[in-house]
Amino acid sequence: MMIPDGIEDEEKWLAEGIAGIQHNAFYMHRALDANNLREVLKYSAQMLSELRTSKLSPHKYYELYMRAFDELRKLEMFFKDESRHGVSIVDLYELVQHAGNILPRLYLLCTVGSVYIKSKEAPAKDVLKDLVEMCLGVQHPIRGLFLRCYLAQISRDKLPDIGSEYKGDSDTVVDAVDFVLQNFIEMNKLWVRLKHQGPGRSREKLEKERSELRDLVGKNLHVLSQIEGVDLEMYKDTVLPRILEQVFPDEYHLQTLETLLGACPLLQPTVDIKTVLSQLMDRLSNYAASSTDVLPEFLRVEAFAKLSSAIGRVIEAQVEMPIVGAITLYVSLLTFTLRVHPDRLDYVDQVLGACVKKLSGKPKLEDSKAKKQVVALLSAPLEKYKDIVMALTLSNYPRVMDHLDNETNKVMAMVIIQSILKNTSCISTADQVEVLFELIKGLVKDLDGTDVEELDEEDFKEEQNSVARLIHMLYNDDPEEMLKIICAAKKNIMNGGPKRLPFTVPPLILSALGLIRRLQGREGDLTGEEVPATPKNIFQILNQAIEALTTVPSPELALRLYLECAEAANDCDLEPVAYEFFTQAFVLYEEEITDSKSQVTAIHLIIGTLQRMNVFGVENRDTLTHKATGYSAKLLKKPDQCRAVYACSHLFWVDDLDGIKDGERVLLCLKRALRIANAAQQMINITRGSSGPVTLFVEILNKYLYFFEKGNPQVTSAAIQALIELITTETKSDSTAPDAVSDPFFASTLRYIQFQKQKGGAMSEKYDSIKV
Amino acid sequence: MDFLVGAFKPPCNVSISFVDTKTRKQVPLKKDNGQTIMVPLFQSQENIIGEVLIEPTQGKKFEHNGVKIELLGQIELYFDRGNFYDFTSLVRELDVPGELFERKTYQFEFSTVEMPHESYNGINVRLRYILKVTIGRNYISNIVECQDFVVRNFTPPPSINNSIKMEVGIEDCLHIEFEYGKSKYHLKDVIIGKIYFLLVRIKIKNMELEIRRRESTGSGPNTYVETETLAKFELMDGAPVRGESIPVRLFLSPYELTPTYRNINNKFSVKYYLNLVFVDEEDRRCLGAGS
């Protein structure tokens, strides 16, 4: 029963207040009739003291206020007539300030002030300024609001507006605007403070009261709009910035959004509306970010729709506005949207769409500021969602990017990629991949008009590395989709041109190989789709991709990739595919790889890969190994030859259970290696007059030992013994200079043999026959 | 009974008037009995000229030991009632001993009288100037008639009159900075200033500016200090927020103030203070500032 009681009490208090006013008004009237100034002041002050109550709700207080207001009209009439009280208006202005209580004092002061202005004994602006300052003394929200409302009301027809009789020489319309604005600002503050009043009162009730009072505050805006002298210049310089200054609480902005925004498009281009609007939106977004409680409020007032349409109208109305201005506005709006409506992706898209509309039909942006703004515009959603996928669903996103020049486009593309990498978000559908590549096309391929020479090599590398990293982020667990992704990616990558392919193809291939390994063993047409995700199909795609690399030309890379593929094909048990890849690799080796160093590397790669292949039939394998050994023996430098040849020995001895174990050919290789080593030694002897290091021999010895241990029957302890002795003599010959590499190498090899001999067991017995 | 009454009636009426009564400014003076009368106002170095009219009652003659008029400046301490400290005392003999038959007027003149102190009527002390006519008589008490007058002196405005600016506060509750335009005010002055709120953590209901008078009388161990609040002036209604600046404008004229007196004849001092009073929703706290 608390609330009914409260209402009853309020009625009672109101009645008491009204009675008090009537009582004192009665005596005041008597004093007025008697022209007794002293008494008039006394009773009017007492009457106004009734307004000091804190017990009434705004609604009831308003009733009380209106009563007092009527009485004050009579008082004003009295003050106006100096003959009735015989005191000059200046003195009167002082006299009413003697009142001890502030509220009656200020009401009286305002009343006299109004007369004072009318008397024109002082400039209206001074009086108004004084009044609005003095009213600061009332900080109680409700009382202050009503007091200032009274001030606004009595001063309304006395502003030094253009054409007004109160516009003196020194008074300008600026003063009028200043006055109204200041009063407005102060009322606002009070109004906002109302929110924090009284802990015991329920929130809804407070809100209700506040909305009742909102009209009071709004009155000032009406007054402002009625000041004729406010031209646009002034509105720009004074009014708007101040209206939007921080003295305004965010919440208030929210509520009055419509009024405010309604005015914006009407302004002339000279008004710096964009700053104003973007400030407003920034503030609102901060406000929204400050607490989640206020979000419903935003939704309620449909802040987005209002802002959006307002901006649209502003931009439409202000044809002259530089593009950067428009974009700035959109950035602010976007930030706002992201903060307030994080779930409304369509809003974001809408903003971008509007931006596209604005940009369309214009040449690509040249202004660096505008470019920056666009980048900001596009980065905002990325930062917010931390998930590029969201951005990919925005249909207008790429369209905005289209309007950037190449350089900026690249910057933006980098931003996007960085965002993806940072958040390790996976792009999991082919469609998304398409969109993504559309977005970053600045990086993926040459755009028209890009001056290639201008590119900084390092920047380019970094960009392409990023793209390469990005490719790894394209992933889907479903093989079919993954295949589509790969196809999509490949399609885009293939357009990249010779400079990009070396960077972008490898990750694509590796990614595809990853898929193949997942699919291992899957065969044939499982789904009936056009391109089923089978290893075979994928290999075909890969073949094309690598082929592209060979034309770049980047043969070493292509070779490596072929070998990778071959190995994968091996694992998939696809002999023909693997063979094809090897053939390709060999062709490359023969035709493209001419540099001797590259050849060495390549041949070792080939040997290594080939050694691990187990899919080949005898014939195929023979062909390949034969080729490989052939290549090895044809390397330019003897030591390289030697090493390649003894490496080939492994091709004939695969240390698996069912691996090839062709001891004879192993020995052949080793012997051949020895011959080459010998030849090398002799060559050195001839050219330099001293024997070269015995490193090659020691290396071959190690190979011997390996196969010996592996049980190759062709590799005998006698052969090893002979080799050891050969090396020993070589090292001890006079012509051989001690060598820092080969000597310790040999010594430790011998130590190993010693160790094996003494270890005991089967291995020791094997080694027994070797004498060191 | 007429005889008896007549016996105690003074044998003559004495009245003192000033030569320039009509033109001289009259100021109200509160008498002991609470009545307010209008008395003339003088300032130091002025000539005090007038006449004394003595009119024997009942048309009878009476004897006297001489008539004199004194101009006295007195300080009266109420705790020491009856003792007057005369800091100024001038005497004019008006008549030699003799008899009076009919009404007679005596002219008197005190020229360029040094009256260093101003009249003051406080709680514990009074400083007053009187003209005292004494008709000496044998055997019976003298006939004494007094006429008060008020002295106000003008001092030129002080050359240095700095503004008062101070930051005060209660730790973590309330910090304010106040500024008054001057540190010395004249009696019809307006106190103009502002109060700036640096920190507000208490719920302020209102803020008042008080004018307090501190009157200290006596000296040494017998010092009596009396403080009274002469004015309470509400400066602010409601609770301000941080950063708010509240204007102060207080007209001093409606209040009965006197200048500040410092150690008048080693008897008393009067000082005025401006006191800011904050009333919060529970109790009141004060912050003061001298003036």
Side-chain angles (χ1 to χ4, degrees):
Chain A
M1 291 302 283
M2 274 294 288
I3 294 162
D5 274 357
I7 289 170
E8 271 171 33
D9 281 351
E10 228 188 309
E11 292 287 354
K12 208 174 76 198
W13 287 321
L14 176 62
E16 276 173 17
I18 291 175
I21 286 187
Q22 282 170 341
H23 176 79
N24 285 305
F26 172 74
Y27 285 105
M28 188 183 86
H29 291 161
R30 280 227 312 222
L32 285 175
D33 293 341
N35 291 339
N36 185 337
L37 180 62
R38 258 181 86 88
E39 295 281 289
V40 166
L41 290 180
K42 179 180 155 196
Y43 285 110
S44 56
Q46 279 182 14
M47 175 187 80
L48 290 166
S49 291
E50 295 295 337
L51 290 175
R52 296 175 70 205
T53 178
S54 303
K55 292 172 178 166
L56 296 178
S57 70
H59 194 69
K60 299 272 187 257
Y61 192 86
Y62 182 69
E63 269 184 51
L64 203 59
Y65 164 81
M66 283 315 292
R67 301 263 177 167
F69 184 79
D70 292 341
E71 298 301 333
L72 285 172
R73 291 268 71 81
K74 292 170 194 156
L75 195 60
E76 192 183 339
M77 299 296 292
F78 173 70
F79 286 150
K80 219 178 271 180
D81 191 353
E82 196 182 320
S83 67
R84 283 175 71 184
H85 50 75
V87 177
S88 77
I89 187 69
V90 184
D91 291 341
L92 202 56
Y93 195 70
E94 184 193 317
L95 210 54
V96 292
Q97 293 188 61
H98 294 174
N101 282 319
I102 186 155
L103 198 71
R105 179 167 76 235
L106 290 178
Y107 270 106
L108 287 176
L109 191 67
C110 290
T111 314
V112 178
S114 136
V115 180
Y116 198 4
I117 297 172
K118 269 196 180 152
S119 77
K120 295 182 197 163
E121 283 183 36
K125 72 161 179 189
D126 292 348
V127 179
L128 289 175
K129 196 168 155 46
D130 189 52
L131 290 176
V132 80
E133 290 266 313
M134 291 311 285
C135 283
L136 272 175
V138 180
Q139 294 284 326
H140 185 276
I142 295 181
R143 292 197 284 273
L145 271 173
F146 278 95
L147 173 66
R148 284 184 179 277
C149 178
Y150 180 68
L151 174 60
Q153 219 150 0
I154 57 117
S155 63
R156 205 162 156 175
D157 50 349
K158 300 173 187 71
L159 299 172
D161 190 4
I162 285 177
S164 155
E165 55 177 316
Y166 303 106
K167 185 182 175 301
D169 296 334
S170 54
D171 297 23
T172 62
V173 68
V174 179
D175 300 311
V177 173
D178 268 355
F179 166 75
V180 177
L181 273 179
Q182 201 180 344
N183 202 30
F184 177 42
I185 288 166
E186 291 300 332
M187 280 177 91
N188 249 323
K189 285 201 234 170
L190 292 170
W191 184 73
V192 169
R193 223 179 287 164
L194 204 56
K195 188 181 169 187
H196 312 291
Q197 279 260 313
R201 308 165 75 177
S202 72
R203 210 178 161 78
E204 301 97 72
K205 202 171 153 210
L206 253 175
E207 284 307 314
K208 194 170 144 270
E209 291 176 3
R210 268 161 55 88
S211 61
E212 283 168 9
L213 288 171
R214 202 157 67 202
D215 297 339
L216 285 185
V217 184
K219 268 185 187 168
N220 280 292
L221 281 181
H222 281 284
V223 174
L224 201 59
S225 64
Q226 280 162 8
I227 298 180
E228 281 176 33
V230 181
D231 55 4
L232 288 160
E233 192 63 27
M234 182 157 170
Y235 194 75
K236 163 194 166 190
D237 292 340
T238 327
V239 183
L240 254 189
R242 280 184 64 186
I243 287 188
L244 297 172
E245 250 171 41
Q246 66 271 22
V247 287
F248 287 85
D250 303 309
E251 196 179 354
Y252 177 76
H253 280 314
L254 197 57
Q255 303 292 346
T256 56
L257 209 54
E258 196 156 19
T259 332
L260 188 64
L261 294 177
C264 293
L266 306 174
L267 298 171
Q268 288 212 335
T270 43
V271 181
D272 191 10
I273 186 68
K274 79 167 163 42
T275 323
V276 163
L277 269 181
S278 33
Q279 257 175 16
L280 173 67
M281 284 184 281
D282 290 348
R283 290 186 40 144
L284 285 178
S285 358
N286 286 335
Y287 176 57
S290 68
S291 133
T292 47
D293 299 346
V294 297
L295 285 179
E297 191 76 357
F298 279 93
L299 296 176
R300 201 172 59 71
V301 300
E302 294 173 326
F304 174 77
K306 284 178 188 168
L307 280 173
S308 175
S309 69
I311 289 174
R313 274 180 283 138
V314 166
I315 290 174
E316 215 168 275
Q318 302 202 2
V319 190
E320 300 288 295
M321 193 198 293
I323 195 91
V324 58
I327 299 172
T328 315
L329 279 180
Y330 284 122
V331 172
S332 299
L333 180 60
L334 190 67
T335 323
F336 172 80
T337 313
L338 292 172
R339 289 255 176 88
V340 180
H341 306 287
D343 49 339
R344 297 297 296 266
L345 216 55
D346 53 330
Y347 282 172
V348 177
D349 203 34
Q350 214 173 313
V351 176
L352 292 174
C355 196
V356 168
K357 222 169 98 195
K358 175 70 191 164
L359 290 170
S360 62
K362 294 224 164 55
K364 290 202 171 180
L365 293 170
E366 294 297 334
D367 180 12
S368 69
K369 268 192 202 156
K371 286 189 225 161
K372 243 182 226 161
Q373 285 299 338
V374 177
V375 172
L377 180 76
L378 293 172
S379 309
L382 296 182
E383 273 160 29
K384 172 70 188 180
Y385 293 119
K386 307 227 178 293
D387 185 359
I388 186 71
V389 178
M390 295 288 242
L392 296 180
T393 55
L394 302 171
S395 62
N396 284 309
Y397 202 95
R399 290 207 262 154
V400 176
M401 284 193 69
D402 280 347
H403 291 280
L404 291 168
D405 64 5
N406 294 336
E407 200 181 316
T408 323
N409 212 327
K410 270 191 203 162
V411 173
M412 197 53 230
M414 282 300 275
V415 171
I416 294 173
I417 295 177
Q418 299 297 353
S419 156
I420 296 175
L421 295 177
K422 203 170 95 198
N423 301 310
T424 58
S425 38
C426 281
I427 318 300
S428 55
T429 70
D431 294 341
Q432 287 176 0
V433 173
E434 283 290 349
V435 181
L436 177 64
F437 274 101
E438 178 64 20
L439 289 182
I440 60 166
K441 64 187 169 192
L443 296 180
V444 176
K445 61 185 178 199
D446 287 328
L447 293 171
D448 307 331
T450 311
D451 196 347
V452 184
E453 283 170 19
E454 266 181 23
L455 291 175
D456 181 34
E457 193 66 24
E458 255 175 50
D459 285 354
F460 179 77
K461 270 188 191 161
E462 203 188 312
E463 282 166 18
Q464 295 309 316
N465 279 332
S466 298
V467 177
R469 289 174 65 192
L470 173 69
I471 292 172
H472 287 294
M473 300 309 296
L474 315 176
Y475 182 81
N476 193 323
D477 274 330
D478 176 31
E480 306 294 336
E481 191 60 43
M482 184 66 196
L483 178 62
K484 282 188 202 152
I485 291 175
I486 288 170
C487 287
K490 181 189 152 231
K491 195 179 79 199
N492 284 291
I493 284 174
M494 283 307 140
N495 300 326
K499 292 194 84 172
R500 291 192 181 78
L501 284 179
F503 290 96
T504 48
V505 171
L508 178 72
I509 304 278
L510 293 175
S511 172
L513 290 178
L515 173 64
I516 288 172
R517 289 190 194 282
R518 275 195 279 149
L519 288 172
Q520 250 172 42
R522 249 175 101 174
E523 197 67 55
D525 195 338
L526 293 175
T527 51
E529 279 179 48
E530 237 179 285
V531 188
T534 61
K536 221 177 200 164
N537 289 323
I538 300 167
F539 278 126
Q540 281 165 13
I541 297 164
L542 293 186
N543 205 351
Q544 292 160 13
I546 302 171
E547 242 174 57
L549 259 189
T550 61
T551 59
V552 170
S554 185
E556 291 95 341
L557 194 58
L559 183 104
R560 276 168 193 265
L561 292 175
Y562 276 134
L563 293 176
E564 280 287 346
C565 291
E567 203 177 342
N570 174 63
D571 294 346
C572 293
D573 224 12
L574 293 171
E575 186 183 356
V577 179
Y579 190 81
E580 170 63 19
F581 280 123
F582 254 99
T583 319
Q584 296 284 2
F586 282 159
V587 170
L588 270 183
Y589 180 84
E590 280 173 11
E591 294 175 358
E592 305 287 344
I593 301 180
T594 46
D595 176 52
S596 62
K597 255 190 198 157
S598 312
Q599 280 180 343
V600 174
T601 321
I603 198 73
H604 279 283
L605 280 171
I606 291 173
I607 295 168
T609 315
L610 192 53
Q611 201 261 345
R612 281 196 297 279
M613 300 303 257
N614 52 20
V615 72
F616 294 127
V618 181
E619 202 172 307
N620 280 342
R621 191 177 173 93
D622 263 359
T623 321
L624 294 175
T625 46
H626 183 74
K627 271 278 178 199
T629 12
Y631 294 146
S632 307
K634 280 181 201 138
L635 287 171
L636 182 64
K637 291 194 214 155
K638 290 284 174 192
D640 290 341
Q641 274 181 19
C642 173
R643 287 192 177 105
V645 169
Y646 71 62
C648 281
S649 65
H650 287 287
L651 291 178
F652 307 104
W653 192 278
V654 178
D655 197 27
D656 285 339
L657 274 180
D658 50 352
I660 302 156
K661 293 198 168 59
D662 190 344
E664 208 164 320
R665 292 180 73 171
V666 169
L667 191 63
L668 270 174
C669 283
L670 293 179
K671 280 186 171 163
R672 198 165 173 190
L674 262 179
R675 273 204 305 279
I676 298 169
N678 243 328
Q681 191 73 312
Q682 278 167 11
M683 260 173 67
I684 293 169
N685 256 332
I686 291 161
T687 49
R688 305 222 183 124
S690 70
S691 303
V694 289
T695 322
L696 283 175
F697 292 107
V698 185
E699 282 168 14
I700 296 168
L701 171 64
N702 275 285
K703 289 289 166 199
Y704 265 92
L705 288 175
Y706 171 80
F707 290 110
F708 181 65
E709 279 181 23
K710 292 294 172 199
N712 187 336
Q714 307 295 324
V715 179
T716 59
S717 56
I720 295 171
Q721 187 72 54
L723 189 53
I724 292 171
E725 271 156 26
L726 171 77
I727 298 170
T728 321
T729 32
E730 278 291 326
T731 43
K732 285 189 179 152
S733 84
D734 298 335
S735 58
T736 313
D739 188 90
V741 181
S742 58
D743 289 355
F745 187 18
F746 182 52
S748 52
T749 311
L750 291 181
R751 248 197 332 274
Y752 174 76
I753 297 169
Q754 208 71 34
F755 170 74
Q756 289 290 31
K757 279 162 75 86
Q758 289 163 4
K759 200 170 71 177
M763 199 52 80
S764 291
E765 278 169 31
K766 245 186 138 175
Y767 272 97
D768 208 27
S769 53
I770 302 171
K771 304 271 184 302
V772 187
Chain B
M1 288 298 281
D2 279 357
F3 168 75
L4 268 175
V5 171
F8 292 104
K9 258 187 157 175
C12 60
N13 286 326
V14 181
S15 68
I16 306 165
S17 61
F18 296 92
V19 70
D20 49 1
T21 306
K22 283 190 182 125
T23 52
R24 184 160 290 278
K25 191 175 175 186
Q26 305 273 317
V27 291
L29 179 74
K30 216 173 191 177
K31 299 239 309 180
D32 293 345
N33 56 15
Q35 280 178 342
T36 306
I37 53 161
M38 299 302 282
V39 294
L41 176 72
F42 289 90
Q43 71 180 78
S44 191
Q45 308 286 346
E46 268 194 299
N47 298 329
I48 299 172
I49 306 165
E51 56 183 27
V52 177
L53 174 73
I54 300 174
E55 193 176 20
T57 42
Q58 303 144 354
K60 281 201 278 185
K61 64 161 190 176
F62 75 95
E63 277 180 40
H64 62 85
N65 275 346
V67 180
K68 62 176 179 179
I69 183 164
E70 289 168 289
L71 190 157
L72 298 173
Q74 297 180 323
I75 294 173
E76 184 182 356
L77 297 168
Y78 293 159
F79 56 83
D80 195 11
R81 198 168 272 280
N83 274 328
F84 302 109
Y85 298 91
D86 296 346
F87 55 89
T88 297
S89 175
L90 299 168
V91 187
R92 296 283 182 275
E93 295 290 341
L94 295 179
D95 207 351
V96 291
E99 289 187 337
L100 264 177
F101 302 99
E102 51 185 11
R103 58 183 287 174
K104 188 172 179 185
T105 53
Y106 302 95
Q107 308 291 327
F108 67 89
E109 176 174 352
F110 299 95
S111 44
T112 56
V113 190
E114 192 72 37
M115 295 179 288
H117 307 308
E118 295 193 355
S119 304
Y120 172 71
N121 213 342
I123 294 175
N124 279 331
V125 67
R126 177 165 72 171
L127 187 151
R128 66 170 186 166
Y129 288 90
I130 48 171
L131 284 171
K132 184 167 154 192
V133 175
T134 311
I135 304 171
R137 291 204 291 174
N138 286 327
Y139 315 119
I140 46 174
S141 59
N142 296 338
I143 297 170
V144 176
E145 177 64 33
C146 293
Q147 166 70 48
D148 285 86
F149 65 93
V150 170
V151 172
R152 297 264 164 83
N153 287 325
F154 298 100
T155 45
S159 54
I160 301 167
N161 197 348
N162 294 326
S163 61
I164 306 177
K165 190 173 182 177
M166 219 188 290
E167 201 187 311
V168 291
I170 309 157
E171 180 114 24
D172 289 335
C173 286
L174 183 68
H175 282 251
I176 59 160
E177 189 182 277
F178 58 76
E179 186 174 0
Y180 300 119
K182 304 184 210 170
S183 52
K184 302 179 178 87
Y185 292 90
H186 64 76
L187 301 182
K188 304 283 179 205
D189 218 339
V190 190
I191 296 175
I192 290 178
K194 63 176 170 219
I195 291 150
Y196 185 72
F197 286 85
L198 300 167
L199 176 83
V200 188
R201 290 248 178 87
I202 54 172
K203 286 187 176 158
I204 297 174
K205 218 160 69 186
N206 61 19
M207 173 174 71
E208 290 170 351
L209 189 65
E210 286 183 350
I211 301 177
R212 293 186 167 203
R213 173 156 69 193
R214 191 160 165 273
E215 179 186 287
S216 60
T217 47
S219 57
N222 295 324
T223 307
Y224 293 79
V225 178
E226 200 73 46
T227 308
E228 68 184 310
T229 304
L230 297 180
K232 271 189 184 174
F233 191 75
E234 194 182 17
L235 285 180
M236 187 184 68
D237 174 26
V241 291
R242 198 164 60 100
E244 207 67 75
S245 158
I246 306 296
V248 178
R249 185 187 296 156
L250 172 59
F251 291 90
L252 294 177
S253 55
Y255 307 107
E256 289 176 14
L257 307 178
T258 69
T260 294
Y261 300 127
R262 282 202 180 76
N263 210 9
I264 302 298
N265 250 36
N266 276 329
K267 290 289 182 260
F268 73 101
S269 297
V270 179
K271 283 182 179 174
Y272 289 88
Y273 295 90
L274 284 177
N275 230 31
L276 264 185
V277 182
F278 292 89
V279 183
D280 77 354
E281 283 174 0
E282 287 136 35
D283 56 347
R284 43 174 47 205
R285 296 189 177 95
C286 299
L287 300 161
S291 142

